[in-house]
Each structure stands twice: as structure tokens, then as C-alpha cells.
Amino acid sequence: MAARRSVQPVYSMCVQPAFIIGTNNEDGTANFAPITWVSVTQEKEEGYLLVISMFGTKRTKENVRRTGIFSANLVSRDMLPLMDFFGTRHARDGLKDVSGCRVVRGETLDVPVLDESRWVYECRVKKEVQTGLSSTFFCEILNIQLDKRLSCRDTFDVDLTVLDPVIYSGKYHSLGTLLGEIGDFLPGG
Ligand SMILES: Cc1cc2nc3c(=O)[nH]c(=O)nc-3n(C[C@H](O)[C@H](O)[C@H](O)COP(=O)(O)O)c2cc1C
């Protein structure tokens, strides 16, 4: 057994994935912001909902509410300068300069997409749930753009080492090795 100690519930560490959310500003320019409160759920047999949660007031939240659409760009290790750039600026202080990255449009939705990202969701909001100052958006995934080096046989066959994702805990981490598949660790597996 691990030797644990109880502490005050002040942490939110959930081994978070790092995404940069791309949205359209009112004037048609692009806005990007890191969001790591990102998960998925499922409401029917086919298809998943991306779940993203945002606290307080921010342009990304306003844009998602107003337009109902956004891109979620997975952050790989080589994108950390972008993550820090977009995460340390509020759009309310002025238009975020996107000249340091190549921005393209989504293939299914008219949303700004970071060309560098190896896994991009194009999403439309289905439902918003408000809990105090946070808004959590349940969103249909209308398209996924995958890095061509990934060859997925099925929904469970995603080799994260190809994506080299940034994992967030309050600090940035990278992934270790691919350990196996479901069942590999059962007796005789
Ligand atoms: C690593 C990192 C992770 C973040 N994750 C979230 C998050 O999950 N939810 C949230 O509301 N804000 C999150 N933020 C804060 C927003 O990215 C930040 O407030 C940003 O400036 C908002 O930009 P905007 O005004 O263009 O929307 C995160 C910031 C960083 C640097």
C-alpha cells in the first residue's frame, strides 16, 4: 500500500490533457487560449461529446457562447511556447498576436485551427451547465483531424507517443512509454 497522508482539499490535479481552444472573435479574428479542464462523455452508442470547462470571464467563454463552435487543438511538447504565449494573455487586454503560428480554418466548421496541432477536434456546443462562476460545455465532435503518422485501427488504438502530448498538473509534463493494451495486465495476459 502507498504511504499516504490526508491534506486540505485545495488541489485540482486530475492529470489534465493540454488543449488550446480556438474561437472566432466578433470581428472575425481568431482567438486562442489554453484549457486543460477537458474530458469526454457519451450520450448514445455512436459518437462522443467533448466536455470543456471554463472559469470566470474570458473571451474564449464569450466566443464559445456566442458562436457555439470552436476547435480544440491538442498541445504537443513542441507547442509549449504557444501554450504559454496564449495562456499569459487575456483577449480583453488586446487582440492576441497570432503571427507566431500558422492558423488555418477547420475542415467541417468555420473555426480557427492551429496548423501545428497533431490532433484537432472541431466542436459544436450541445449543452451548457453553469456551476457558480464556471461554465461546462458538452459539445458534439463534428470532425477530428489526425496527424497522418497515426494509424488507428479502432477507437481504443491511439498511440499517444506519436502525439507527444503535454500533460498538466499545475506544471507541464510529458508522457513516458506505451505500456500495453486493456487486458495485458490480467493474469496470463
Ligand atoms: C496551462 C493552462 C491551463 C489553463 N486551463 C484553463 C481551464 O481549464 N479553464 C479555464 O477557465 N482557464 C484555463 N486557463 C486560463 C486561460 O487560458 C486564461 O485565462 C486565458 O488568458 C484566457 O484567454 P482569453 O481571454 O483569450 O479567453 C489555463 C491557462 C493555462 C496557462
Side-chain angles (χ1 to χ4, degrees):
M1 188 190 154
R4 289 188 296 265
R5 65 189 168 98
S6 290
V7 295
Q8 290 302 310
V10 294
Y11 298 100
S12 66
M13 199 290 298
C14 275
V15 193
Q16 284 136 275
F19 283 88
I20 294 177
I21 304 299
T23 54
N24 293 314
N25 290 319
E26 248 174 313
D27 64 1
T29 54
N31 190 62
F32 292 98
I35 298 293
T36 55
W37 293 345
V38 178
S39 184
V40 284
T41 187
Q42 193 170 9
E43 61 169 354
K44 51 188 187 225
E45 281 300 321
E46 297 288 314
Y48 297 94
L49 296 175
L50 193 78
V51 183
I52 70 167
S53 195
M54 286 184 258
F55 181 79
T57 313
K58 52 195 62 168
R59 176 69 59 79
T60 304
K61 198 199 263 191
E62 291 162 16
N63 285 350
V64 167
R65 276 213 184 111
R66 192 186 70 261
T67 64
I69 54 175
F70 63 90
S71 69
N73 305 265
L74 186 72
V75 178
S76 48
R77 234 188 314 176
D78 53 346
M79 292 171 66
L80 273 171
L82 278 184
M83 180 95 172
D84 264 350
F85 178 80
F86 289 126
T88 52
R89 282 161 181 79
H90 291 288
R92 64 169 176 264
D93 298 333
L95 189 66
K96 290 187 191 177
D97 181 10
V98 294
S99 61
C101 54
R102 219 171 92 81
V103 179
V104 295
R105 303 305 294 178
E107 292 190 349
T108 300
L109 293 174
D110 188 22
V111 287
V113 164
L114 290 173
D115 205 28
E116 280 183 59
S117 179
R118 303 177 193 187
W119 184 292
V120 179
Y121 290 115
E122 296 178 45
C123 297
R124 183 165 59 208
V125 175
K126 176 142 203 204
K127 186 179 177 140
E128 177 183 343
V129 176
Q130 194 93 31
T131 41
L133 297 178
S134 278
S135 298
T136 302
F137 298 90
F138 292 77
C139 313
E140 289 174 290
I141 299 169
L142 298 186
N143 190 38
I144 305 176
Q145 299 184 35
L146 298 187
D147 189 300
K148 285 187 176 152
R149 287 170 297 174
L150 264 183
S151 52
C152 308
R153 282 167 298 161
D154 56 55
T155 40
F156 295 103
D157 184 30
V158 180
D159 183 351
L160 286 180
T161 58
V162 175
L163 301 175
D164 195 19
V166 170
I167 312 298
Y168 184 65
S169 67
K171 297 179 189 297
Y172 300 129
H173 302 261
S174 71
L175 205 77
T177 46
L178 174 61
L179 300 176
E181 303 191 9
I182 293 175
D184 284 355
F185 302 95
L186 293 174

